[in-house]
Amino acid sequence: MNLLTAENISRSFTEKVLFEDVSLGISDTDRIGLIGVNGTGKSTLLKVLAGELSPDSGKVTKGNNVTIEYLPQNPVFDDGLSVLQNVIKDKKPKKENWNMEGEARSMLLKLGIEDPDGKPSILSGGQRKRASLVRALLADADILILDEPTNHLDSYMSEWLEGYLKSLRSALVMITHDRYFLDSVTNRIIELDKGKLYSYQGGYEKFLELKAEREEMALATERKLATLYRKDLEWMMRGARARSTKQKAHIDRFNELANRERPEKETELVMGSVSSRLGRTIIEINGISKSFGDKKLFEDFSYSFVKGDRVGIVGHNGCGKSTLLKTIIGQITPDAGSITIGQTVKIGYFSQENEEFDGKQRVIDSVKDIAEYIVTDEGHVTAAKMLERFLFEGGIQYEPIEKLSGGERRRLGLLHILMGAPNVLILDEPTNDLDIKTLSILEDYLDTFNGIVITVSHDRYFLDRVAARIFAFEEEGGKHLVRKYEGGYSDYYAKSGAVLGLFSAGSSEVKMPGSGKQDYDSMKENRNKKLKFTYAESKEFETIDDEIEKLEKRISELDEEIIKNASDYGKLNRLTLEKNELEEKLDFKMERWEYLNELKEKIDAQ
């Protein structure tokens, strides 16, 4: 049954056309994921569908008695009411004898809002979003419209939300950049691209397949039209005259071909690595601990980073992940232990907080202030070219920053970090407010990055894509530990031995890691899932034997050179340092080789 129809709607922001003459229907069985590059108008489209904004042209029609619940990106609260009162205000019970206040209170507590009776002013930005999410989920709506519901949720909460949304009977339209979430929850993807809407049946994986087919068909059609245009051009140049109806039609066709809209093939990002050389000592963490008051975050944590490390950090909200990053970079002093950072280490830190920009400054000037160009494997790449690669094309480079959307500013902030050519990238929730295309660009960049990557993220797809080792915040026997697991998020999930998913679908009960509560059925289901390589592991498995062979060969050559230069102390010292570095790298590669081959045996045995 059709619930809502948008017909030929358009909307502009200042001089920028966000979408033009687009149409969309929402039925009662739709689970729609809306995707597109930041700044293209996704949130504006949701506001128009929800009735929060009127279109510049066209109309939105909803069925009689159809109700809509809308979760905005930046929720507004009545400061005169408590958090709980804001959540349940004007909400109708879903069923008889339903204790809505009790369920709301329970959900708020489980989502990290410890004082539901307090005023909204005490909430952080993330807590306000989670409280607003509870309000939306409590509604008995026909259409649920959610703008970034997974932002500020840790991976455990995201898993719960998947189950909760799948259990609801409401139609769903949402923006999220969590690709596993899209694949699990949606049955239709709508892409907003250059002012047009494209609809694809299926989840995110099916969308990728269907989009590639659509683009290939469009390019094939364009090739045929281009051939026809060239023939017509030759005819016109021979001196065509509109002496007959037939010739006039031919000329009209030529004019249409000349002015046709040409499809653009999705550009593939090819970006060489941008980083500085790393010495032997990188970052050595020795027995650090940190508490705030009575709240312990981590205890006696040690780790020495080596070249090539790709570390993902996971744990529930508030456990201390960001604090660990800030302790590593020296913003926070540990209560005990020490951290040694090598002299050649150049850290690029991408924080959760958006970078402060001069709104009047032009986009390109802000990048040139950091570097006019950077040196990559492919040569010199200018600031303008780097901006293009991060989706700032054409005139937008010369716009003042104040005209950028929040997501575009976040993307620009990431580019600022990379333009500094760090050799250690520390990323705190980089997937927040970044669109899927930008995430793909970042992931492709990290494939070639020669330095170390340390990232906190709740995005399970991102962690599977880029991490080769997981640090997990866990509690055991009253101790707050940071445990190490080989592989990406899926490997960690399978090996952790505890269920990390945590709400049962449709319920507000949550079970957090270390609480001692376990869901046997979920554990059994997880164990029965087929093992497979992540994308990063697959690429690593293909090349690791050759890399080990090269390292062993070079170490053997260095042994011979050391013997020959035993009396040249300067050269001997340089050769010994190089050998020590390569042996350290070889140890890491051998550890990875053992893990990957063990995993391959398990995969083959399935």
Side-chain angles (χ1 to χ4, degrees):
M1 182 179 71
N2 193 60
L3 301 176
L4 181 145
T5 303
E7 298 177 88
N8 307 116
I9 60 172
S10 302
R11 182 78 193 195
S12 299
F13 178 70
T14 61
E15 298 173 359
K16 183 179 181 181
V17 176
L18 297 176
F19 46 87
E20 188 172 20
D21 200 28
V22 302
S23 298
L24 172 67
I26 302 172
S27 76
D28 58 348
T29 59
D30 272 332
R31 298 281 194 277
I32 297 172
L34 175 60
I35 66 175
V37 174
N38 284 334
T40 56
K42 300 188 302 297
S43 292
T44 301
L45 179 57
L46 286 196
K47 288 177 183 177
V48 171
L49 295 176
E52 298 287 315
L53 279 178
S54 298
D56 295 335
S57 61
K59 63 177 181 177
V60 177
T61 308
K62 67 176 182 177
N64 292 333
N65 302 319
V66 169
T67 56
I68 297 174
E69 184 68 24
Y70 168 60
L71 171 69
Q73 209 172 75
N74 299 300
V76 176
F77 288 80
D78 182 342
D79 289 328
L81 302 176
S82 70
V83 175
L84 179 64
Q85 288 169 334
N86 270 279
V87 165
I88 64 174
K89 182 182 177 182
D90 300 328
K91 287 286 175 285
K92 295 179 181 178
K94 290 183 180 179
K95 52 195 174 185
E96 288 185 27
N97 302 318
W98 180 45
N99 184 359
M100 181 170 58
E101 181 177 331
E103 183 159 349
R105 186 181 294 276
S106 177
M107 291 177 76
L108 287 166
L109 289 169
K110 300 304 183 184
L111 285 172
I113 297 158
E114 296 175 356
D115 184 10
D117 296 312
K119 296 296 183 183
S121 57
I122 67 172
L123 301 180
S124 67
Q127 288 173 323
R128 292 172 79 91
K129 187 64 180 280
R130 295 199 296 274
S132 191
L133 175 61
V134 172
R135 174 177 170 81
L137 295 178
L138 287 172
D140 188 17
D142 297 300
I143 305 174
L144 200 54
I145 297 179
L146 308 176
D147 195 345
E148 294 286 12
T150 56
N151 267 10
H152 307 292
L153 295 184
D154 57 39
S155 52
Y156 318 125
M157 299 299 179
S158 292
E159 289 174 21
W160 164 72
L161 186 58
E162 281 180 22
Y164 198 103
L165 291 178
K166 286 196 282 190
S167 74
L168 292 179
R169 291 178 295 176
S170 307
L172 175 66
V173 185
M174 67 175 177
I175 297 170
T176 179
H177 306 142
D178 187 324
R179 287 153 286 184
Y180 281 160
F181 196 92
L182 280 171
D183 237 0
S184 174
V185 174
T186 64
N187 57 19
R188 186 179 168 199
I189 298 291
I190 301 293
E191 182 186 24
L192 183 56
D193 183 25
K194 299 179 180 68
K196 294 183 178 179
L197 274 184
Y198 300 93
S199 180
Y200 308 86
Q201 287 300 131
Y204 179 72
E205 191 172 341
K206 190 65 177 175
F207 151 74
L208 292 176
E209 178 187 328
L210 293 174
K211 181 179 179 179
E213 288 178 9
R214 176 181 69 79
E215 288 182 337
E216 189 53 46
M217 286 175 64
L219 290 169
T221 301
E222 169 59 21
R223 286 191 290 270
K224 291 175 184 175
L225 292 175
T227 301
L228 188 59
Y229 172 72
R230 284 194 298 272
K231 289 179 179 178
D232 281 3
L233 181 60
E234 291 172 6
W235 179 78
M236 290 289 290
M237 292 178 71
R238 289 197 296 267
R241 298 288 184 270
R243 297 190 187 97
S244 68
T245 303
K246 186 175 181 180
Q247 282 192 327
K248 186 176 185 306
H250 200 159
I251 292 172
D252 289 343
R253 185 182 74 179
F254 169 78
N255 290 329
E256 286 178 9
L257 286 170
N259 297 315
R260 73 191 183 278
E261 186 176 339
R262 293 161 175 80
E264 293 182 27
K265 183 169 175 58
E266 190 95 357
T267 53
E268 294 293 327
L269 178 86
V270 180
M271 183 184 292
S273 177
V274 184
S275 63
S276 313
R277 189 187 71 83
L278 270 173
R280 186 182 175 194
T281 301
I282 303 174
I283 299 175
E284 295 179 355
I285 301 174
N286 303 296
I288 63 171
S289 301
K290 187 64 188 177
S291 300
F292 286 107
D294 295 332
K295 186 176 182 179
K296 291 182 179 178
L297 299 179
F298 47 86
E299 304 172 64
D300 195 26
F301 175 60
S302 298
Y303 186 76
S304 292
F305 288 92
V306 297
K307 290 179 182 177
D309 255 345
R310 295 287 190 275
V311 174
I313 303 176
V314 302
H316 61 80
N317 285 333
C319 67
K321 304 185 295 295
S322 295
T323 300
L324 177 59
L325 295 188
K326 290 176 181 177
T327 305
I328 291 172
I329 66 175
Q331 283 189 7
I332 290 177
T333 304
D335 299 334
S338 64
I339 297 174
T340 303
I341 297 180
Q343 291 186 347
T344 61
V345 170
K346 186 176 182 182
I347 292 174
Y349 175 54
F350 188 50
S351 70
Q352 282 194 53
E353 297 80 25
N354 286 329
E355 183 178 341
E356 290 293 327
F357 293 106
D358 175 359
K360 303 298 181 185
Q361 189 178 33
R362 297 188 308 176
V363 171
I364 192 164
D365 293 333
S366 77
V367 175
K368 284 183 175 180
D369 281 351
I370 300 167
E372 292 277 345
Y373 64 87
I374 53 174
V375 180
T376 73
D377 294 341
E378 68 213 56
H380 289 62
V381 181
T382 64
K385 196 67 180 174
M386 285 294 286
L387 277 164
E388 282 180 17
R389 292 176 175 186
F390 273 75
L391 309 179
F392 294 102
E393 298 175 348
I396 195 172
Q397 295 187 9
Y398 297 92
E399 294 281 356
I401 293 173
E402 64 187 3
K403 286 195 173 182
L404 299 182
S405 70
E408 287 172 321
R409 292 189 191 201
R410 184 93 170 137
R411 192 194 317 148
L412 182 61
L414 175 61
L415 180 55
H416 278 197
I417 300 297
L418 300 182
M419 287 296 290
N423 49 31
V424 176
L425 268 176
I426 297 182
L427 311 172
D428 193 355
E429 295 288 11
T431 61
N432 274 359
D433 301 316
L434 289 184
D435 56 76
I436 290 173
K437 183 64 191 289
T438 305
L439 288 175
S440 297
I441 289 171
L442 175 60
E443 289 158 1
D444 290 343
Y445 171 82
L446 294 179
D447 284 343
T448 67
F449 184 64
N450 289 325
I452 288 169
V453 179
I454 308 165
T455 181
V456 167
S457 181
H458 63 263
D459 188 319
R460 298 156 294 171
Y461 184 102
F462 181 77
L463 289 175
D464 271 345
R465 181 73 169 74
V466 305
R469 181 169 290 156
I470 296 292
F471 290 172
F473 277 68
E474 297 179 4
E475 187 178 344
E476 185 178 286
K479 288 193 171 183
H480 295 76
L481 309 173
V482 180
R483 276 212 176 88
K484 307 173 191 74
Y485 295 85
E486 289 301 306
Y489 181 86
S490 295
D491 299 299
Y492 150 69
Y493 190 100
K495 293 173 187 173
S496 61
V499 174
L500 306 173
L502 307 93
F503 282 104
S504 53
S507 164
S508 58
E509 182 185 3
V510 66
K511 307 166 187 177
M512 300 307 293
S515 66
K517 299 178 181 178
Q518 296 185 349
D519 184 328
Y520 176 77
D521 291 333
S522 295
M523 289 179 67
K524 186 176 177 183
E525 180 185 345
N526 189 55
R527 289 197 189 106
N528 289 337
K529 284 182 182 175
K530 282 200 169 186
L531 290 171
K532 63 178 181 178
F533 278 138
T534 64
Y535 176 86
E537 287 171 341
S538 179
K539 291 186 70 175
E540 187 181 7
F541 184 73
E542 290 172 7
T543 59
I544 197 164
D545 284 321
D546 290 339
E547 290 174 1
I548 287 172
E549 186 179 340
K550 287 176 184 176
L551 286 169
E552 289 175 335
K553 183 181 178 183
R554 179 56 185 155
I555 290 170
S556 179
E557 291 170 351
L558 286 169
D559 282 334
E560 292 177 10
E561 289 182 47
I562 286 170
I563 292 170
K564 289 178 185 176
N565 295 277
S567 58
D568 186 340
Y569 293 109
K571 192 168 185 180
L572 183 64
N573 186 47
R574 289 195 300 273
L575 292 171
T576 303
L577 282 173
E578 184 182 351
K579 182 186 174 185
N580 288 339
E581 284 185 16
L582 292 179
E583 283 179 338
E584 193 175 285
K585 193 169 184 179
L586 180 62
D587 287 343
F588 174 72
K589 290 290 181 185
M590 290 301 295
E591 189 177 329
R592 291 295 300 164
W593 181 91
E594 187 177 338
Y595 160 73
L596 291 168
N597 278 273
E598 224 175 80
L599 180 57
K600 181 69 166 62
E601 287 176 11
K602 291 177 182 177
I603 291 169
D604 292 341
Q606 290 181 138

